[in-house]
Amino acid sequence: MAKTTRKRAKNGRSGNTHGMNWIRPAKRLAIYLRDGFCCGYCGKDLHRAKEGQCSLDHLTPRSAGGTNDATNHITACLTCNIARSTTPWRQYATGGAIVRITRQRRLVLNVAAAKVIISGVASFSEVFAR
């Protein structure tokens, strides 16, 4: 098993230095697919987002006892992920976002479809046209 590297951030907190490597690519893509490539908070369509503008947000932060389970993640645009910061997600989410997030996080992930897309065997549109 790979060793997790931690370093002190400028704010003195210990931070994960893995960037996007804290979650397997297939699971990350499966969560994006589950959420329809839309930000759970503002509803922004992230299908054509530039690299780095589409992120996963821990609904309950790891520092507060949250896990890396898919039910604790939601697709978020970078703007919302940064703006939410440490605000509890139910307090940050407005309008229909709480209902949307609650519904989405209960859906089953299609990791198999994500693996097919990543492998290049089929495209996104081919996988979901079946």
Side-chain angles (χ1 to χ4, degrees), residues 10 18 20 25-26 30-31 35 42 44 63 73 79-80 92 95 98 102-103 112 115 117 119 127 129-130:
K10 288 182 181 178
H18 288 291
M20 292 179 64
I31 294 170
D35 298 345
C42 70
K44 180 179 180 179
S63 61
H73 291 102
T79 302
C80 285
Y92 178 78
I98 293 174
T102 301
R103 183 180 61 242
K115 287 180 179 180
I117 293 167
S119 72
V127 168
R130 295 177 187 174

Side-chain angles (χ1 to χ4, degrees), residues 57-93:
D57 187 29
H58 284 84
L59 295 171
T60 302
R62 301 259 336 230
S63 61
T67 68
N68 276 338
D69 188 74
T71 59
N72 190 41
H73 291 102
I74 196 73
T75 301
C77 67
L78 192 60
T79 302
C80 285
N81 199 339
I82 291 170
R84 180 186 153 224
S85 185
T86 59
T87 305
W89 76 269
R90 288 180 182 273
Q91 184 179 335
Y92 178 78

